Amino acid sequence: MMYSSVRRQAGLAIAGYRLAAARSMPRWSKGMRMSTTDEPIAMTSIPSFEVTASSTAAKEWKGDLLVVPIFAEPAKEGGEEAEDAQPKLAILSDVASDLDGALDGAVSELVASDELKGNTGDSSVARLGSSALRRIAAVGLGQSSKMDDKAAASLGAAVAKLAKDCKCERVALALPEEVEGNMQGLLSGMMNAIYVDNRFRTGDRVEKPMKLTSIEILSGSDLGDVPALADKARGLASGINLCRDLVGAPANVLTPESMADVARYIAEVHGMEAEILEKDEILARGMGAYMGVAQGSVPGAGDPRFIHLTYKPKAGEVKKRLAVIGKGLTFDSGGYNLKAGAGSMIEMMKFDMGGAGATLGAAKAVGALQPEGVEVHFIVAACENMISDRAMRPGDILTASNGKTIEVINTDAEGRLTLADALVFAEKLEVDSIVDMATLTGACIISLGDKFAGLWSSDDGLAESLQASAKATGDKVWRMPLASEYNDQLKSKLADLKNVGGRAAGSITAALFLKEFVEKTPWAHIDIAGPVWDDKAGGATGYGVRLLVDWVEKQGAEPQELSLLFPAWCCPLCPERVKHSADAIHRTAVLELDIGRCARVDGGGKSSKSGTGGSVGVMGVW
């Protein structure tokens, strides 16, 4: 992975190699196989607690902690606030106001004493004298008119964190009606917020487990099957946690071999097919670009493993066949173009398998959720990029499995070499779409920072579907140009391609290089070098799992007539983005689209609004 365009060259011919005995070998290494009850490496688990819905009024609930949401003051319309205007205190939600009356103003007093404005992230806890209800907490949700899954997830996360910090067993959330339509986001935020990585800590550094046994969602409305929704959120969180575990594991624990064992474990637990290719099989398939990177590692645990998991639905028609590829460099030294000097980030290069982490995390979540209508191939070319007397050198020419030759200009542009053979492998599976995810370039961090991933695609429909999933899940992407104007940078005088272009447009030329290994299949590349790691929190983010899982589920569930830019429940041009009733979900109908208007046509052919001149009929599903 190149984290700068110009890297100080390693001036010495480094011929040393690491002794196998110096490695700290993970469990389930060479030649061993596991049962479904054993984990290949230490993994974190989601605390076991019950989530239920209850019609109990907040003022009547008894337990350790009751959380009540508060809202921020709505923005002023048609003008700015006066310069000397003071920020206003939070507005109590209806449920908070009702509880406030029953508790003699305790909620209002909590808001006033801590000067809570109701913004997302605001929270405060107060102890009560009552033995029936020990604590109340006020949590900010922002403006009530802007409720969405992101706001709901922040509320769920706040509930879980407060339960942990207060060492509570029984917790309740007084749910305001503004959040009732975002239950999945609420529960996902709850499950994702309680990740703790104790795997490499000892003594007092080990965080104690939560005491939480139950969370009750208090609401007078029908919220659906809340335990089932919680199980779905838990399944998704299990994949996100696995991604965090893998990305956060050091390279002496997570090797190509132990990563392959993780893949086998996923397959055994969730009933998938697992194909693991070892060195001789990789060579037999002509994967010369991949092996060029892998050949510098110590024989043994450092040997490459080509991972291929296949998920197939247990019943029903397969509507789409997809391939998801993750870059799997368990450590990247840069090779002979050694990562050296300040800013090289060599100490962080355990996360250069972030794409593989997201891919295997998505595989685990997909296995848990069992989406219908879609077959998915999860692919990782796992290896290390090391220096030894066997390692590839600048100037070497490699031959990929599609026969194209590549002149190695920079050994630190290695990820694209491994992905090249993985892309060729995926296309031979005759799938409908291919998505690769990789910590590929530092140039992408310079362009987009650490909040957005870059998205390149050869197909507009595929790009739109991924953008829709990014918007739905909060795993942000920004589409970048697959600009053929820069193809000349990859031309070699000796081979078909160079593995790196010039200093300018580095993330674009990396994507253009990958495009050379996909002939006809719609393909997208997502560069996650920025959002894979959170420096402030000091850990892996789990980025990409939500996006991939959401995309996979929608590919299997939704018909393709309706533009994928719009959620299935939403009329595309409706200014109010009307959520139609649940009885219309998954029913094919006709949308008559007019400027600023939408018309729903029921199965019997009756329209709730009549379209006017200039409308266009579009097939869709609500």
Side-chain angles (χ1 to χ4, degrees), residues 410-610:
N410 192 314
T411 62
D412 198 19
E414 84 300 328
R416 64 200 72 184
L417 298 175
T418 67
L419 290 171
D421 282 325
L423 288 165
V424 173
F425 179 92
E427 189 161 42
K428 288 179 179 178
L429 298 173
E430 298 182 347
V431 293
D432 296 300
S433 301
I434 301 172
V435 175
D436 78 71
M437 189 168 280
T439 50
L440 205 64
T441 65
C444 197
I445 301 177
I446 300 302
S447 300
L448 299 176
D450 62 0
K451 305 301 181 189
F452 283 80
L455 168 65
W456 289 259
S457 183
S458 62
D459 184 270
D460 288 341
L462 175 56
E464 289 174 0
S465 68
L466 289 166
Q467 286 174 299
S469 288
K471 185 174 182 180
T473 61
D475 279 352
K476 298 177 181 179
V477 300
W478 192 267
R479 191 170 183 186
M480 303 284 277
L482 198 61
S484 59
E485 291 87 343
Y486 298 123
N487 273 329
D488 285 350
Q489 291 191 34
L490 297 174
K491 289 182 178 178
S492 168
K493 294 179 180 179
L494 301 175
D496 297 329
L497 295 165
K498 296 189 296 185
N499 77 322
V500 67
R503 182 171 185 175
S507 60
I508 297 175
T509 55
L512 288 170
F513 177 89
L514 296 178
K515 185 175 180 289
E516 293 289 327
F517 299 90
V518 184
E519 291 185 359
K520 298 178 181 179
T521 309
W523 157 79
H525 160 61
I526 303 176
D527 191 333
I528 65 170
V532 70
W533 192 265
D534 185 340
D535 280 328
K536 186 176 181 181
T541 61
Y543 179 93
V545 176
R546 298 176 189 85
L547 191 162
L548 290 172
V549 172
D550 185 81
W551 177 69
V552 165
E553 288 184 318
K554 287 177 178 176
Q555 291 296 297
E558 68 182 12
Q560 302 304 305
E561 292 92 345
L562 186 63
S563 170
L564 293 173
L565 276 173
F566 303 99
W569 48 259
C570 178
C571 289
L573 296 187
C574 177
E576 292 84 19
R577 298 180 67 81
V578 177
K579 292 185 179 181
H580 295 301
S581 60
D583 66 307
I585 292 175
H586 298 307
R587 180 193 300 169
T588 303
V590 174
L591 289 177
E592 291 183 358
L593 305 182
D594 202 350
I595 297 174
R597 303 177 63 189
C598 75
R600 172 180 167 187
V601 181
D602 292 322
K606 273 191 172 182
S607 175
S608 58
K609 286 185 183 178
S610 59

Side-chain angles (χ1 to χ4, degrees), residues 21 42 54 96 191 200 298 313 324 345-346 402-403 480 495 514 533 542 548 558 594 605:
S54 172
M191 298 300 175
F200 309 109
V298 173
V324 176
M345 295 177 66
I346 190 170
N402 65 347
M480 303 284 277
L514 296 178
W533 192 265
L548 290 172
E558 68 182 12
D594 202 350

Side-chain angles (χ1 to χ4, degrees), residues 12 76 104 199 211 278-279 317 371 410 428 435 523:
L12 299 175
K76 292 286 185 181
D104 298 325
R199 293 174 299 163
K211 294 183 177 181
E278 299 192 6
K279 182 178 179 179
E317 176 192 358
N410 192 314
K428 288 179 179 178
V435 175
W523 157 79

Side-chain angles (χ1 to χ4, degrees), residues 219-281:
S219 173
S221 302
D222 181 4
L223 301 177
D225 190 345
V226 170
L229 292 173
D231 286 343
K232 181 177 180 180
R234 197 180 298 273
L236 178 60
S238 71
I240 295 170
N241 283 4
L242 175 63
C243 178
R244 288 168 167 170
D245 287 346
L246 295 175
V247 177
N252 64 325
V253 171
L254 186 68
T255 65
E257 189 171 30
S258 59
M259 185 184 289
D261 284 335
V262 170
R264 290 190 186 98
Y265 173 77
I266 293 169
E268 291 188 33
V269 170
H270 297 294
M272 298 184 187
E273 298 172 14
E275 178 184 22
I276 309 295
L277 305 182
E278 299 192 6
K279 182 178 179 179
D280 290 344
E281 297 165 293

